[in-house]
Amino acid sequence: MTAQVDYLVVVFTATSGASGELLGSDEKDLVQLVWQLVNVNTKTLGRVNEILIRPDLSDSTEEKSDEDVVVEGKEEDESSSGADCMYTATSLDSGLNMFNLQLTNEVNSAGAGTSLCLCTDGQLHIRQVIHPEAASKNIPVPDCFYSFFDLRKEFKNHFATSDLKALNAHVMAESLSLPVDVSSMWDPSANQDPLPAEVAVQQVRLMTSIVLSLLSEPYCHSFSNPERINERFESGTCSKMEKVCDNTVIRARGLPWQSSDQDIARFFKGLNIAKGGAALCLNAQGRRNGEALVRFVSEEHRDLALQRHKHHMGNRYIEVYKATGEDFLKIAGGTSNEVAMFLSREDQIIVRMRGLPFNATQDDVLRFFSPEDGSKETCPISGGKDGILFVRYPDGRPTGDAFVLFACEEHAQCALKKHKELLGKRYIELFKSTAAEVQQVLNRYSSAPLIPVAPAPLVSVLPAVSLLPPPGGVRDCLRLRGLPYTATIEDILTFLGEFTQDVRQHGVHMVLNQQSRPSGDCFIQMTSAERALQASQRLHKQVMSSQRGANSRYVEVFPCSTDEMGLVLMGGSLSHTHTHTHNRSRSGTGLSPPPCKSRRLSPPSYSFTPVQQILPTDAAAAAAAAAAAALYPPMGHMLLAPRPLHPGHPYYPASAQLYMNYNAYYPSPPGSPTTLGFFPAHSSMSSPGGLVRMPGLPYNGSGVKDLINAVQGYQYAPEDALIHAHAAVHSHDPARTLLTQPKEWVCI
């Protein structure tokens, strides 16, 4: 709209909740709508109209379909608002329809021009109140609410030094030297809940005075470029080379799994999302994780979107946070020309196919969506073979995923009815998709390697060792699989029955997942391989009950070795298949190296054999004095000398990613172990131990107990020492003398 409109409709709204700068931020319903017509050409004013929306909760509501508008006129208890005409509606739908009807009649009765546009004091009344509530209730909004003038921005064209965020009707009136009743002045920054009824009428009258002043000399302002609200979301593509402003992107979290980009656009109704600016995020398995990145056309719209934090989409509240342009490009950006050509057709509905046979062709997909014999429903693919995009690995192998295009929503819905129908011998999953999801899936599979490269080793001086233990270990442990998630160690001991007496002390180890919750697996150290074998034969697939839950499950019991248990401890996984490169029977428990993200054992377990002393007590004391002189000469006795590590213990391999959880920890009764260590292995290690310095500790710390808790899970031998600069050497065991220095601890 470039020409000046004939009429301006000055509008003010109020909800049952917050007002002023927080209007619409609490999802409260619209209860008051006040407006006044301004003739731009003649500079005359119409009547002040007010609609009160009061839901009728009586039983007779169902009988009121088209008669939910009460007669025009003032009532005695409502005359204090000051409106010339007052109406009452029982729903938002009837209130908006009545507003449109009364406004049209008033414009037609004036007889001078027909073009009109709304005018509000800021963005909140239209963008944050009317459109969000109408979208959540699936109510159509009259066309007049899709464009409006922001009086603050029109005012700023003549007063460029004004702060847009600080402007309100009273500030603008004072700048224009208009008379303002200070005693009845309403402060928008002061949140009033709810807003008094007369305030809305006063604000409308004040805004109409500002409009007339801007239309008159010396300003002669022209209202010609209104704000626009997008009626529908436009899908599109985004290149990774495109620059995306950090101040225009948000992250929405908590979305329903079946939500689409259109659902996201409906949640942010009233705010303008950039073309292709809604990108659903996928997890490592290629499934939606309930998050989305949304790009808006400006920072102003992004800030309004942040005010919808914890608003509801259906029964779920959505969290809204700031994000960056880089985050958006990682999800929605793409560089493939094939994808760009596929998504270049606008107004197309995208459907994702998952679970395709690897030898499926485009003809197979076309036949899959072809109508069945005698069926009237058709779902032709738009463009034929050009409307099909297969997802492939970098080497050209198919992934089993594909995307297809449909010309309209009707064809797409017909296609989705084929969900889980068979193509060959496989059932096919169908989902409604988006352009951003196409880019994200293609980016995920086209980037190599698919599994992230492991980081540098935790201790660089330690050599790499094999992730898989050698064959031939003694199978003196049990692996329990399929435990109830509520099972405790007491439940496990009850399940073992007579074999409980064969369990080593502290020999029950619960396996936790990444969320530190029981994964259903458990390892048990037995006194001998014979008893472990007997227990597995007698207890395999027996039912276990949990004291904290009513559910019962049968439990699989397998014998395993300490090396295999150590593999899981280091982040690997055990499977009941033949995956080891060594020769093993299929009845044995196979091994697989640690993947990037698999379940982990909570802390490293305990040593099976007592650690032999490497340095005698006297030698350790002498080494302490020598090391102290070498490392910290002024401090006196400080550290024991580094010692050669005891062979027979595996350490962190150079290529392993570690995701251990030391917080969730399930030792068996009677309590925690006295020493911690890794499982014995057949490889020998000859590298020296490591020195850990811990500066910045609090003066009032509880000392050794806190330090041992901090480093639990890391092996230390009895001759290791924590040294205090001012303590005396222990009379019975000088090698275990504890020495401290203010604000600093040192451990070997």
Side-chain angles (χ1 to χ4, degrees), residues 93-107:
D93 189 13
S94 60
L96 294 180
N97 290 334
M98 182 187 180
F99 170 84
N100 191 40
L101 177 62
Q102 296 297 326
L103 183 60
T104 302
N105 292 338
E106 188 173 1
V107 171

Side-chain angles (χ1 to χ4, degrees), residues 46-121:
R47 299 174 301 180
V48 177
N49 302 275
E50 179 182 17
I51 294 180
L52 299 178
I53 301 176
R54 297 175 176 176
D56 188 359
L57 303 179
S58 63
D59 295 336
S60 60
T61 302
E62 298 179 358
E63 301 176 0
K64 297 182 180 182
S65 57
D66 299 327
E67 299 180 354
D68 46 1
V69 177
V70 182
V71 296
E72 170 187 341
K74 291 185 179 180
E75 298 180 8
E76 183 178 350
D77 58 342
E78 297 172 334
S79 59
S80 59
S81 65
D84 299 326
C85 300
M86 186 174 298
Y87 310 90
T88 304
T90 59
S91 66
L92 177 65
D93 189 13
S94 60
L96 294 180
N97 290 334
M98 182 187 180
F99 170 84
N100 191 40
L101 177 62
Q102 296 297 326
L103 183 60
T104 302
N105 292 338
E106 188 173 1
V107 171
N108 292 336
S109 62
T114 57
S115 62
L116 60 87
C117 188
L118 304 184
C119 181
T120 62
D121 179 17

Side-chain angles (χ1 to χ4, degrees), residues 195-271:
L195 191 69
E198 65 274 7
V199 171
V201 177
Q202 294 173 1
Q203 288 295 110
V204 168
R205 294 187 185 277
L206 185 58
M207 286 193 294
T208 54
S209 301
I210 297 173
V211 170
L212 292 178
S213 179
L214 292 176
L215 292 172
S216 305
E217 297 287 345
Y219 306 107
C220 299
H221 183 71
S222 175
F223 291 85
S224 56
N225 295 304
E227 300 265 341
R228 297 286 184 180
I229 297 177
N230 295 339
E231 296 188 24
R232 59 188 301 272
F233 170 71
E234 297 182 28
S235 60
T237 60
C238 179
S239 172
K240 283 189 177 292
M241 305 305 296
E242 185 176 346
K243 292 184 179 180
V244 178
C245 179
D246 291 342
N247 296 328
T248 61
V249 182
I250 62 95
R251 180 184 297 273
R253 182 180 300 166
L255 299 169
W257 308 117
Q258 68 275 17
S259 60
S260 64
D261 53 355
Q262 297 295 336
D263 297 322
I264 297 173
R266 189 179 302 111
F267 177 79
F268 290 107
K269 187 68 174 178
L271 308 178

Side-chain angles (χ1 to χ4, degrees), residues 511-734:
V511 181
L512 308 180
N513 59 18
Q514 286 181 279
Q515 289 74 36
S516 300
R517 297 176 181 175
S519 64
D521 279 24
C522 172
F523 285 96
I524 301 175
Q525 297 172 243
M526 306 292 286
T527 55
S528 65
E530 292 77 10
R531 295 296 290 173
L533 179 60
Q534 294 176 12
S536 65
Q537 292 174 346
R538 188 175 304 180
L539 300 176
H540 184 58
K541 291 193 175 181
Q542 297 297 315
V543 176
M544 173 188 290
S545 300
S546 173
Q547 298 177 358
R548 295 187 298 175
N551 59 327
S552 300
R553 301 182 61 175
Y554 77 84
V555 178
E556 298 176 285
V557 183
F558 309 104
C560 66
S561 65
T562 56
D563 293 329
E564 293 170 352
M565 187 164 60
L567 177 72
V568 176
L569 172 67
M570 299 299 292
S573 61
L574 301 180
S575 60
H576 202 56
T577 57
H578 188 69
T579 57
H580 202 314
T581 56
H582 298 289
N583 294 325
R584 295 196 179 188
S585 63
R586 292 193 61 85
S587 61
T589 302
L591 303 175
S592 59
C596 290
K597 292 184 179 180
S598 64
R599 56 195 177 195
R600 304 289 182 250
L601 190 65
S602 53
S605 184
Y606 327 123
S607 300
F608 301 112
T609 57
V611 181
Q612 299 179 2
Q613 191 172 14
I614 303 203
L615 291 178
T617 301
D618 298 338
L631 294 176
Y632 295 90
M635 300 301 299
H637 296 287
M638 284 298 296
L639 294 172
L640 294 177
R643 60 179 177 81
L645 297 180
H646 177 62
H649 291 267
Y651 295 85
Y652 297 104
S655 59
Q657 289 192 4
L658 303 178
Y659 294 88
M660 293 188 182
N661 184 350
Y662 293 96
N663 298 323
Y665 177 35
Y666 295 88
S668 60
S672 300
T674 56
T675 60
L676 297 173
F678 296 108
F679 296 103
H682 298 278
S683 60
S684 61
M685 307 294 294
S686 58
S687 56
L691 177 67
V692 179
R693 183 178 181 182
M694 305 172 68
L697 294 176
Y699 290 102
N700 57 354
S702 57
V704 180
K705 182 178 180 180
D706 290 341
L707 288 179
I708 293 179
N709 290 337
V711 298
Q712 69 169 352
Y714 296 94
Q715 179 191 2
Y716 64 94
E719 57 272 13
D720 292 337
L722 304 173
I723 301 177
H724 190 295
H726 306 287
V729 176
H730 199 284
S731 58
H732 300 291
D733 190 357

Side-chain angles (χ1 to χ4, degrees), residues 470-484:
V474 179
R475 293 178 170 271
D476 57 352
C477 299
L478 291 177
R479 179 196 179 193
L480 275 61
R481 186 170 65 184
L483 298 173

